[in-house]
């Protein structure tokens, strides 16, 4: 199958290298504003050279951002081309529309690299949802924040230095606020919950707290208690309600989550009969993410026809019944409280009025 590659950044260039020399998947044309030396494919700045080429069967979209990726992906499907994308922003924002368009155009839409970097999480999740009723998905879904928290915890370096390292290694989003504020994890959680529960969540309804307020003092105090901070995204379905939120969480130092290093992701599904299944691996980076893009291309080559989920019912987020134990730091003093997720987030909003540096974490 011939591929038209939209984007030649970290993921695109590594996907290209993975494909180089293969017979089953070949990059015919690369869309790039800049000339690319050493690329054994046509390089063009005009997307029509890909969309109107009948030899191209798969469009791989790894340019990121909402526009013009959305327009290009829709045009590709309308032109009868299968689409493989790593774009979580696009998939989260246009989930129902893109899945419906793929079905009506009779093409395959794959986005395994959008969640979990190199982990075949979405394919495993879809497989689990076919054999069991899934009750929850949760995990450490953002590699950059895991890198930052690991570096602050293990090496004692500051937040800014750790973020700069993650950026230099190509892990962070173009605007790293998407990582630090938890928005990237929230998108990945929404996509995972959509596929696990056959719903469509609106990501704006998912309360989200990032790692920006965690200080070296918080990390040191946690270490003294034998605990480690991680950014966790959780969604659960109980009696027809779906809860979902993103928040820093405290784990005992002996747990797998606490020991997840670097840009690792650790994602878990819970099924009524399957019980708990966890998936651990590189959550960011060109090679792992590019490999998941290639796997999707191979799935298309192999005749994969269905999307990850068959149901797509719009569902409101309801955090009133999901309980947790929470740690608050306000004006330097720590307190703990057991209450619902909805109550904890509204308590935290009140705390911020009193202390703009206030911090909250869930105690696991
Ligand atoms: N910025 C993202 C992360 C890249 O750090 O997880 C992979 O989605």
């Amino acid at each position: 199958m011939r591929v038209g590659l939209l984007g030649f950044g970290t993921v695109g260039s590594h996907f290209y290298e993975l494909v180089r020399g293969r017979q089953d998947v070949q990059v015919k044309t690369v869309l790039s504003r800049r000339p690319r030396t050493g690329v054994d494919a046509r390089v063009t700045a005009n997307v029509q050279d890909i969309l109107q080429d009948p030899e191209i069967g798969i469009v791989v979209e790894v340019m990121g951002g909402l526009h013009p990726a959305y327009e290009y992906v829709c045009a590709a499907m309308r032109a009868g081309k299968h689409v493989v994308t790593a774009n979580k922003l696009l998939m989260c924002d246009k989930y129902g529309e893109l899945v419906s368009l793929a079905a009506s155009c009779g093409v395959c839409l794959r986005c395994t690299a959008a969640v979990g970097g190199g982990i075949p999480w979405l394919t495993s999740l879809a497989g689990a949802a076919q054999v069991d009723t899934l009750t929850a998905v949760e995990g450490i879904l953002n590699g950059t924040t895991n890198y930052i928290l690991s570096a602050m915890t293990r090496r004692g370096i500051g937040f800014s230095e750790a973020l700069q390292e993650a950026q230099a290694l190509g892990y962070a989003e173009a605007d790293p606020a998407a990582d630090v504020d938890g928005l990237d994890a929230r998108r990945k959680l929404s996509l995972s919950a959509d596929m696990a529960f056959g719903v469509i969540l609106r990501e704006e309804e998912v309360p989200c707290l990032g790692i920006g307020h965690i200080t070296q003092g918080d990390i040191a105090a946690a270490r003294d208690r034998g605990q480690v901070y991680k950014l966790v995204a959780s969604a659960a379905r109980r009696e027809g309600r779906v809860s979902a939120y993103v928040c820093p969480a405290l784990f005992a130092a002996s747990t797998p989550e606490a020991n997840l290093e670097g840009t690792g992701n650790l994602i878990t599904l819970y099924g009524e009969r399957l019980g708990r299944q966890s998936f651990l691996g590189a959550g960011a980076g060109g090679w792992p993410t590019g490999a998941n893009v290639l796997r999707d291309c191979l799935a298309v080559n192999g005749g994969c026809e269905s999307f990850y989920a068959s149901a797509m019912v719009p569902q409101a987020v309801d955090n009133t019944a999901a309980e947790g134990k929470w740690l608050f730091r306000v004006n330097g003093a720590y307190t703990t409280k057991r209450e619902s997720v909805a109550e904890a987030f509204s308590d935290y909003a009140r705390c911020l009025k009193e202390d703009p540096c206030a911090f909250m974490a869930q105690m696991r």
Side-chain angles (χ1 to χ4, degrees):
M1 189 84 81
R2 298 292 187 93
V3 167
L5 179 58
L6 309 185
F8 207 75
T10 302
V11 179
S13 58
H14 285 82
F15 167 77
Y16 175 80
E17 287 302 326
L18 284 166
V19 166
R20 202 196 268 266
R22 289 186 77 107
Q23 295 303 311
D24 50 357
V25 177
Q26 294 178 331
V27 175
K28 182 177 180 195
T29 308
V30 176
L31 180 73
S32 169
R33 279 192 300 262
R34 282 187 283 139
R36 301 282 174 179
T37 49
V39 172
D40 188 19
R42 179 181 182 187
V43 178
T44 178
N46 182 358
V47 73
Q48 296 305 329
D49 291 337
I50 290 173
L51 298 177
Q52 292 179 10
D53 184 341
E55 270 189 19
I56 290 178
I58 306 178
V59 167
V60 169
E61 186 279 304
V62 286
M63 55 202 303
L66 202 48
H67 303 289
Y70 167 65
E71 288 77 11
Y72 291 176
V73 160
C74 290
M77 290 198 281
R78 290 196 180 101
K81 301 183 190 311
H82 305 292
V83 166
V84 172
T85 178
N87 192 330
K88 52 242 164 160
L89 174 60
L90 172 67
M91 282 307 299
C92 193
D93 199 70
K94 307 286 185 193
Y95 183 78
E97 184 184 335
L98 293 180
V99 176
S100 299
L101 182 61
S104 67
C105 294
V107 297
C108 193
L109 172 63
R110 308 298 294 171
C111 60
T112 308
V115 185
I119 305 171
W121 158 248
L122 290 183
T123 47
S124 304
L125 181 67
Q130 281 172 1
V131 299
D132 197 6
T133 300
L134 302 186
T135 55
V137 286
E138 68 173 10
I140 297 167
L141 288 171
N142 180 265
T144 299
T145 47
N146 198 64
Y147 184 94
I148 293 170
L149 290 175
S150 299
M152 289 173 76
T153 304
R154 303 270 187 210
R155 291 191 274 138
I157 67 172
F159 180 91
S160 304
E161 192 184 342
L163 173 59
Q164 275 169 17
E165 285 184 10
Q167 285 176 301
L169 291 166
Y171 301 142
E173 297 300 299
D175 175 3
D179 298 297
V180 171
D181 295 341
L183 306 179
D184 178 78
R186 180 167 77 167
R187 276 174 205 135
K188 293 167 176 170
L189 176 72
S190 300
L191 276 176
S192 302
D194 287 352
M195 294 179 195
F197 308 142
V199 299
I200 303 183
L201 300 184
R202 286 168 51 83
E203 67 165 314
E204 315 81 69
E205 290 182 16
V206 178
C208 181
L209 176 59
I211 64 166
H213 285 198
I214 302 180
T215 63
Q216 284 288 8
D218 294 321
I219 288 174
R223 191 185 303 122
D224 291 346
R225 296 190 302 267
Q227 295 173 318
V228 173
Y229 283 107
K230 296 289 175 182
L231 182 67
V232 171
S234 300
R237 178 173 54 180
R238 220 169 282 120
E239 293 162 3
R241 298 179 187 192
V242 172
S243 68
Y245 60 98
V246 178
C247 186
L250 272 168
F251 289 92
S254 58
T255 57
E257 285 83 358
N259 289 286
L260 185 69
E261 292 294 320
T263 56
N265 279 189
L266 198 171
I267 327 173
T268 299
L269 64 83
Y270 297 82
E272 281 181 359
R273 295 188 171 89
L274 279 171
R276 175 186 173 147
Q277 283 190 351
S278 292
F279 301 79
L280 186 154
W287 291 121
T289 313
N292 247 347
V293 173
L294 176 53
R295 282 191 203 207
D296 277 352
C297 292
L298 297 179
V300 172
N301 256 0
C304 160
E305 281 174 3
S306 62
F307 188 63
Y308 304 78
S310 48
M312 293 188 301
V313 181
Q315 172 97 32
V317 173
D318 181 348
N319 282 322
T320 53
E323 287 280 323
K325 187 175 176 192
W326 309 87
L327 175 78
F328 294 88
R329 171 178 43 72
V330 184
N331 294 322
Y334 291 107
T335 54
T336 61
K337 205 170 181 183
R338 185 172 285 284
E339 60 186 354
S340 73
V341 174
E343 288 166 329
F345 273 87
S346 60
D347 273 352
Y348 180 61
R350 276 194 295 277
C351 294
L352 281 176
K353 288 186 186 139
E354 203 181 313
D355 172 7
C357 298
F359 170 62
M360 175 179 84
Q362 187 172 25
M363 304 179 78
R364 295 287 179 132

